[in-house]
Amino acid sequence: MRITGPSADGDTDLDAVRLYDPDFYATGEPHAVWAQMRRRGPAHLSTLPDGRYFWSVTRYHDVDNVLRDHTRFTSGRGTLLSVLGGTDPAGGKMMAASDPPVHTALRRPLSRVLSDRALRPHEPRIRAVVQRMLGPLLDGGVWDVAKAAAAFPMAFTGTLMGLPEEDWPRLARLTTSAVAPSDPGYRQTSRHSTLAAAHHDLFAYFSAQVRDRIRHPREDLVGSLVGLELDDRRLRHDEIVYNCYSLLLGANVTTPHAIASTILALIEHPGQWKRLLAEPSLTGSMIEEGLRWSSPASHFLRHAVHDLELHGRRILAGDAVVAWLGSANRDEEVFADPYRFDIARTPNRHVAFGLGPHYCVGAPLARIALRILFDVIVTSVEKFTIAGPIEHLASDFVAGIKSLPLTAQLSAAAARAIDATVTQHGPAS
Ligand code: HEM
């Protein structure tokens, strides 16, 4: 998604905006439209040509309300616009598509396995992956950060889940197909068939992984789900498969875009990049600003549990309500000067990881991975230069970049370290 500011005229016909059209996110200006929705239509109704409809909330406090209050807005019928008009078969079985108390029981053991403390032993492995991923850039070549980052989460989530490395490229492609089935880079014959094929392949894949863990128990994330007890019973096969899918999707389709969009923001704001180089202790708060700025998950959806009123509009029980996280993260009522990329922003109560009971269970892992990556970048790179056209992903769910080719001018320290390695070991082949 192109990250722009509010438009100057500000009188777009909101009823004509195709918020449900993935192309709008590849070529349009969603941020400019959301700014107007926050001002003129904070509870906005969109109707598709086939008659299906959904409500949108764009203000921070409404997004907070919708995501936090499962008694009024349920996750049980699915949480993405792609399920509009139907019911997600994973409802009540997959953590992301269930409400407490089922949700709480599923989440507790997973959040333990994904806590900062449990992840600490995996940090050296993530660091090694980062070094490998940045190799072409540090060697002076053109590096497509978006393409490199797309493979990155597989290396840590794939490892934690115990998935064979030879499967990672295929899984990375399938998860993106599941969230961007209309994008020309992923679309097969139609959006619908692309989505169906991606789901089929991912579910079949995890079904085989689960069968394998039952035969040969292992202590990885898939193994933890196989052994999980829920109210005195084990999880059923389909419940395990759905949750494996959700964990992999959660990691794969978001983390790459936080990386690419943050690097692009640093290039577009050279003063902030200079400040970061001078004050590397700001790396942590820069990452949080990068998450607010990029908001990689654009929306999450809920369904109204009963009739209710929002900003004078009547929402009926069963209506779909979409909370636009990218918009909440630019709400001028909450963020001072929200269209300014400020690596030292304080406070920064962004909702890029959501909030309430479904607050991203992978947030500690994402933060560790981003920190390791940006620590290396800040100590190695003096300047990035864009080396080719930028391509944006066509997806109503993921605010993504498909291609961002870069070259880098290395810092003196990084150049010296590379020279020393070459002198010792000869050039890399
Ligand atoms: C920058 C990276 C990430 C972003 C921006 C992000 C964003 C989000 C958001 C906004 C939610 C809330 C969903 C809702 O309210 O319905 C969420 C939930 C979730 N995320 Fe992430 N995520 C990221 C990384 C990860 C990683 C690395 C994993 C896997 C290890 C993951 C797995 C999940 C899962 C399973 C849920 C559902 C949690 C629940 O229902 O309790 N995410 N994520």
Side-chain angles (χ1 to χ4, degrees):
M1 180 197 296
R2 290 191 318 126
I3 295 183
T4 61
S7 57
D9 54 8
D11 60 356
T12 305
D13 175 4
L14 296 179
D15 289 333
V17 175
R18 296 162 62 91
L19 285 170
Y20 47 83
D21 181 353
D23 278 345
F24 173 60
Y25 301 88
T27 55
E29 294 202 12
H31 278 283
V33 169
W34 288 333
Q36 296 185 48
M37 289 171 70
R38 285 196 301 277
R39 199 158 42 80
R40 294 192 284 122
H44 177 78
L45 183 66
S46 296
T47 306
L48 279 68
D50 62 11
R52 288 177 298 157
Y53 67 89
F54 61 94
W55 296 93
S56 286
V57 294
T58 39
R59 291 185 184 168
Y60 187 97
H61 293 295
D62 293 326
V63 166
D64 181 322
N65 240 319
V66 168
L67 295 187
R68 203 182 284 282
D69 188 355
H70 68 90
T71 63
R72 293 202 305 155
F73 301 100
T74 174
S75 293
R77 287 181 50 194
T79 61
L80 299 183
L81 254 179
S82 52
V83 301
L84 187 67
T87 293
D88 191 335
K93 299 174 181 168
M94 182 169 83
M95 174 171 57
S98 57
D99 296 320
V102 172
H103 170 263
T104 321
L106 277 169
R107 182 170 167 119
R108 203 175 297 124
L110 280 177
S111 52
R112 267 199 302 272
V113 185
L114 290 169
S115 68
D116 273 327
R117 204 188 151 136
L119 291 170
R120 212 158 293 142
H122 297 283
E123 288 186 21
R125 156 104 200 159
I126 300 176
R127 198 159 287 121
V129 174
V130 163
Q131 291 290 356
R132 208 166 58 200
M133 169 175 152
L134 291 175
L137 179 78
L138 302 182
D139 286 346
V142 174
W143 182 63
D144 193 323
V145 55
K147 294 205 162 86
F152 180 45
M154 271 317 310
F156 51 84
T157 321
T159 305
L160 286 177
M161 296 181 89
L163 309 177
E165 190 164 346
E166 63 269 22
D167 300 341
W168 295 355
R170 182 169 150 252
L171 292 170
R173 191 170 171 80
L174 283 172
T175 43
T176 305
S177 301
V179 294
S182 298
D183 187 279
Y186 295 90
R187 187 184 171 115
Q188 295 165 5
T189 40
S190 71
R191 173 192 165 104
H192 184 74
S193 64
T194 309
L195 186 62
H199 280 160
H200 172 272
D201 290 359
L202 284 164
F203 293 147
Y205 179 83
F206 280 117
S207 208
Q209 289 292 321
V210 171
R211 279 198 301 276
D212 174 67
R213 293 308 181 285
I214 292 168
R215 276 198 303 271
H216 312 288
R218 272 197 270 153
E219 284 188 16
D220 51 35
L221 259 177
V222 179
S224 306
L225 282 165
V226 169
L228 189 70
E229 302 249 340
L230 186 69
D231 295 337
D232 72 8
R233 71 167 176 88
R234 287 280 171 94
L235 283 192
R236 285 191 305 269
H237 186 89
D238 62 339
E239 291 169 323
I240 304 170
V241 169
Y242 280 132
N243 284 289
C244 288
Y245 162 82
S246 171
L247 277 170
L248 193 72
L249 192 86
N252 272 8
V253 304
T254 49
T255 323
H257 305 300
I259 296 169
S261 295
T262 301
I263 293 181
L264 183 58
L266 288 166
I267 296 171
E268 289 174 343
H269 299 82
Q272 295 294 306
W273 172 242
K274 241 190 208 150
R275 183 168 179 196
L276 183 61
L277 293 186
E279 293 177 70
S281 59
L282 287 176
T283 305
S285 87
M286 182 280 291
I287 289 170
E288 296 306 317
E289 180 68 342
L291 286 162
R292 182 190 77 89
W293 190 254
S294 57
S295 303
S298 287
H299 83 260
F300 274 98
L301 174 139
R302 302 288 190 260
H303 287 90
V305 173
H306 41 72
D307 294 1
L308 52 103
E309 203 169 297
L310 204 58
H311 297 291
R313 310 292 304 264
R314 188 104 188 109
I315 294 176
L316 301 178
D319 280 2
V321 181
V322 174
W324 294 99
L325 303 176
S327 174
N329 277 337
R330 293 290 190 285
D331 189 334
E332 30 291 279
E333 296 287 315
V334 174
F335 299 98
D337 206 354
Y339 295 94
R340 188 164 49 90
F341 180 72
D342 175 2
I343 63 166
R345 181 176 289 278
T346 332
N348 188 353
R349 298 197 323 271
H350 69 74
V351 293
F353 287 123
L355 29 75
H358 292 277
Y359 179 82
C360 178
V361 74
L365 177 57
R367 284 195 166 107
I368 289 172
L370 292 171
R371 183 63 200 237
I372 292 174
L373 176 82
F374 279 105
D375 276 346
V376 176
I377 287 181
V378 170
T379 47
S380 316
V381 177
E382 193 70 37
K383 188 177 177 218
F384 282 114
T385 305
I386 296 177
I390 303 172
E391 286 177 46
H392 297 273
L393 192 68
S395 168
D396 56 27
F397 171 48
V398 174
I401 298 182
K402 275 197 300 187
S403 183
L404 173 56
L406 300 174
T407 54
Q409 184 184 319
L410 296 192
S411 67
R416 270 198 307 276
I418 289 172
D419 283 349
T421 314
V422 172
T423 312
Q424 264 181 14
H425 307 291
S429 55

